Amino acid sequence: DPAISNYQHGRMPKGSSLPGRQGPFGEPGFMADDDEIRNIMRNFQSHQYGLDGTDGNLASRLGSDLGALAALGNASVGKLVHEQLALQLTLSKDSSRDSVLECSWFYFELMIKAMVEHLATANTLNAPRKHRFSDQFNDDILNMVASFTGEIISKHRKQGRITQLNSCLAFFLHDLLSVMDRGFVFSLIRTYMKEVTANITIMEPEHSSVLWELQIDFLRIISSHEHFIPLNLPQYGPAGFTSGSSSPTPSLRSIDSASSFISTMMGDRSSWAELSSEFRRQHFLVGLCLTNLFNALEQENGDVHTKSISIVRNLLTTHDLDPRYSEPDCRARVANLYLPVIGIIIDAVGALHGAAELQASRDDATTPIIDQITAQQIAGSAMFGTLESMRNTDMQNKPAKCSLSQENTRHLLATFLWVVKNVDNNVLKQWWSELPSERLHYLCEVLRITLTTFQYKGKHALKKARAQQII
C-alpha cells in the first residue's frame, strides 16, 4: 500500500537517501541496519522510565523492531497525532480558528496520513474497522465534523474560504470511507446533510442558493468514491433473484404464476423502486443523490437544477464506462439502484421542457395519444379504465413545481433512458404493472416527451438551437 510508510520495510522513500549510507549492494536508498533507530528508541524509553536499557522485558519489547512506536502508544507514553489533531481542530478559537480554516486541507490530509501510519505501525490494517480507532477519537471526529458544518452554515456567504472548507471536509470524509468504519462515516455524512438541509428549508429561496451549491458540491465529491456501487449494497432489492428461461408463448396461468413469484421475491415495491425511507436506508449514498435531485426539482433555480441533474448523469456515465460493470447482470443491478429516477421524473413531468407544447397538441388531437390496448401492454394487465377516462387524465392535473430548460431536460431524460435500458425487464414490468393508472399515464407522457426531445429534426434545426444557446 503506497500509504504505508516506506520505513516499515527498511527502505527510504524513493528518490532519497541518507548521506554516507549505502545498502547491502552498494546502492543508496537502503538503510544498513536498524541499530541506530533501536538505540534511539531505547534511549527514549530509558529517559521516560528511568531505565538503563538493560531491562530485558520492556527494553526488548520496545526495541525489537520498528513497530516500537505502536508499543509506545499503547503504553500511553505519547499522544497520537491524529487524535490530537481531531481534538485541537475542534477546540480551536479566534485567530487559531481562522488559521485552521485557511489551511484546512493541510490538517485533513495530515490526519488521514497519521491515521494510516498508525494502522501500519500497530499492524491493524487488517483489523475489523470498528476496532481500528478508539471511541474517544470517534467522538472527537463527530464533534469536529459538526463544528465545521456549523461554520459552513453560519459563514456560507463568504464563498472563497467557506467553499474551500466545504470541499476539504468532503474530501476528508471521502478518504475516511477507506480507513474507518463505513457506518460511522455515513453518520458523519448524515450529520452534514441534515444540518445543511434544515437550514436551506428555513431560508428564503433567493438566499439559499449558496447553501444549495455547497451541498451539491459536497455530494459530488463524496459520490466520486471508487467503490461507490459496493457502498450502496446493490445486492439488496429486486436483483436478488434470478429468473429461469421463460416460454416464448406463455399461458395466462404461467404469467400470473411468474408475476406472483416476482412479487413474493421482491416484496413491497415502494421499498426498492420509489424514493422511500427504506430505500434511503438500504442505499445510503444513492439515496442522498436522488433526494437532492428530487428536492432540486422543486426549486426555481436553473443553476441548482443543472448541478443536481449533473451529479446523477455523471454517475451513470461513470458506471457505463466502468469495466467492472460491463456484464449485463452487473449493469442491471446498478440500474436497480437508480429505479427511483423514473418516479422522480414522473412526478416532475409537467416541468419538462416541451410539456406545455405537448399538452396543447394533445388538446387539439381528435384521438387519444395512447390507446387502451397499448397502455395495457405496457402495464402487463388490464388496469386501465375506458378510453374516455384516459382522455380526461392530462397534465393539467399535474402542476409543475418548476420549469426545466431544454438542456437540463435532455440530461434528465438521458438518465431516464439509461435506467430503462439497463434495468431487468421483469423488474421493470412488475413495477409498472403495480402503478396506478394515473402515474402510468404520466409515464407514457414522459416517453412521448423523450421521443420529441431526442427526435432528429435536421441540420437547420440544430444550427438554430446552437445559435439560441450562444445568444
Side-chain angles (χ1 to χ4, degrees):
D1 190 335
I4 302 176
S5 172
N6 293 308
Y7 289 99
Q8 185 182 12
H9 306 289
R11 182 187 293 272
M12 291 292 294
K14 187 176 182 179
S16 63
S17 61
L18 291 175
R21 302 290 296 272
Q22 289 185 334
F25 301 104
E27 57 184 21
F30 283 90
M31 302 180 67
D33 56 46
D34 298 331
D35 290 341
E36 183 177 355
I37 294 180
R38 290 196 182 96
N39 290 332
I40 292 174
M41 298 304 299
R42 289 194 183 98
N43 292 335
F44 178 79
Q45 164 261 318
S46 300
H47 175 73
Q48 293 290 326
Y49 293 95
L51 302 174
D52 58 1
T54 59
D55 190 324
N57 293 332
L58 183 61
S60 61
R61 181 169 61 88
L62 293 178
S64 60
D65 55 21
L66 293 181
L69 288 175
L72 287 173
N74 293 333
S76 301
V77 175
K79 298 179 179 180
L80 297 174
V81 174
H82 59 278
E83 293 182 350
Q84 288 302 302
L85 278 174
L87 178 61
Q88 298 304 324
L89 289 178
T90 305
L91 300 178
S92 60
K93 297 180 180 179
D94 302 330
S95 59
S96 61
R97 188 68 168 182
D98 294 335
S99 300
V100 167
L101 297 182
E102 289 287 348
C103 304
S104 57
W105 63 270
F106 171 78
Y107 295 111
F108 287 144
E109 283 288 324
L110 180 60
M111 192 183 305
I112 291 293
K113 293 181 183 297
M115 292 170 67
V116 176
E117 189 72 19
H118 167 68
L119 294 178
T121 55
N123 295 322
T124 55
L125 279 172
N126 296 323
R129 288 176 178 263
K130 289 186 177 181
H131 306 298
R132 289 183 177 182
F133 302 99
S134 65
D135 293 338
Q136 182 61 50
F137 177 66
N138 291 345
D139 292 340
D140 291 339
I141 287 288
L142 180 61
N143 294 331
M144 183 191 72
V145 171
S147 172
F148 282 123
T149 301
E151 198 88 28
I152 292 170
I153 294 172
S154 62
K155 301 179 180 179
H156 67 276
R157 296 185 183 277
K158 299 179 181 179
Q159 296 189 23
R161 176 186 297 180
I162 294 303
T163 300
Q164 177 183 348
L165 174 62
N166 184 73
S167 298
C168 292
L169 180 61
F171 278 115
F172 174 69
L173 297 179
H174 172 282
D175 293 340
L176 282 185
L177 287 171
S178 301
V179 181
M180 298 188 73
D181 174 45
R182 287 164 176 171
F184 174 72
V185 180
F186 284 168
S187 70
L188 300 179
I189 298 173
R190 186 186 296 110
T191 298
Y192 173 95
M193 295 296 298
K194 182 178 179 181
E195 293 298 324
V196 174
T197 302
N199 280 268
I200 289 176
T201 303
I202 63 177
M203 286 183 177
E204 295 295 329
E206 58 271 15
H207 297 149
S208 62
S209 59
V210 176
L211 269 183
W212 262 108
E213 293 181 3
L214 290 173
Q215 185 184 65
I216 293 172
D217 287 340
F218 179 90
L219 277 179
R220 177 181 55 83
I221 294 171
I222 292 294
S223 61
S224 65
H225 197 279
E226 62 176 331
H227 300 303
F228 179 80
I229 292 298
L231 288 173
N232 283 285
L233 304 179
Q235 72 275 10
Y236 171 84
F241 73 94
T242 56
S243 58
S245 58
S246 58
S247 170
T249 57
S251 64
L252 291 177
R253 177 172 296 181
S254 64
I255 292 176
D256 293 338
S257 176
S259 176
S260 175
F261 170 73
I262 294 173
S263 299
T264 302
M265 293 299 295
M266 291 190 291
D268 183 14
R269 169 187 54 81
S270 62
S271 66
W272 55 265
E274 300 285 355
L275 194 58
S276 60
S277 58
E278 178 68 17
F279 179 92
R280 292 195 294 267
R281 281 195 297 269
Q282 294 292 337
H283 314 296
F284 180 68
L285 296 180
V286 165
L288 288 180
C289 295
L290 298 184
T291 301
N292 177 268
L293 174 63
F294 177 82
N295 293 333
L297 294 180
E298 296 183 344
Q299 309 295 316
E300 277 291 350
N301 189 319
D303 293 335
V304 172
H305 297 161
T306 300
K307 289 191 173 185
S308 296
I309 294 172
S310 295
I311 287 181
V312 179
R313 187 178 187 276
N314 291 341
L315 279 173
L316 295 182
T317 302
T318 302
H319 303 332
D320 196 69
L321 298 176
D322 196 327
R324 294 176 295 179
Y325 313 124
S326 58
E327 295 295 329
D329 291 342
C330 293
R331 189 158 294 183
R333 286 176 177 265
V334 174
N336 286 336
L337 292 173
Y338 294 91
L339 271 176
V341 168
I342 301 176
I344 292 173
I345 296 176
I346 290 175
D347 292 334
V349 60
L352 299 176
H353 181 80
E357 293 81 355
L358 177 63
Q359 179 62 36
S361 64
R362 188 168 180 270
D363 292 338
D364 296 337
T366 57
T367 58
I369 292 175
I370 302 172
D371 58 30
Q372 187 175 11
I373 297 177
T374 304
Q376 290 177 5
Q377 289 176 345
I378 293 175
S381 62
M383 59 182 300
F384 272 82
T386 62
L387 289 173
E388 193 63 32
S389 65
M390 284 190 60
R391 193 190 299 271
N392 293 331
T393 304
D394 54 34
M395 287 182 293
Q396 292 178 354
N397 299 326
K398 194 77 168 177
K401 298 178 181 179
C402 66
S403 180
L404 296 177
S405 66
Q406 183 178 10
E407 182 179 4
N408 285 336
T409 298
R410 289 177 63 89
H411 291 320
L412 186 60
L413 292 178
T415 65
F416 168 80
L417 291 176
W418 191 93
V419 174
V420 171
K421 173 188 175 183
N422 291 286
V423 76
D424 185 84
N425 292 336
N426 291 328
V427 171
L428 201 60
K429 183 178 179 181
Q430 176 64 25
W431 176 39
W432 286 354
S433 68
E434 297 176 1
L435 287 178
S437 59
E438 184 180 8
R439 280 178 66 81
L440 187 57
H441 177 70
Y442 290 139
L443 172 62
C444 295
E445 299 291 353
V446 171
L447 291 173
R448 182 169 176 82
I449 294 174
T450 303
L451 290 174
T452 305
T453 301
F454 293 102
Q455 180 182 8
Y456 180 70
K457 301 176 182 178
K459 294 182 179 179
H460 180 72
L462 291 176
K463 291 180 180 179
K464 185 178 179 180
R466 290 173 183 171
Q468 291 177 351
Q469 291 178 357
I470 295 175
I471 294 175

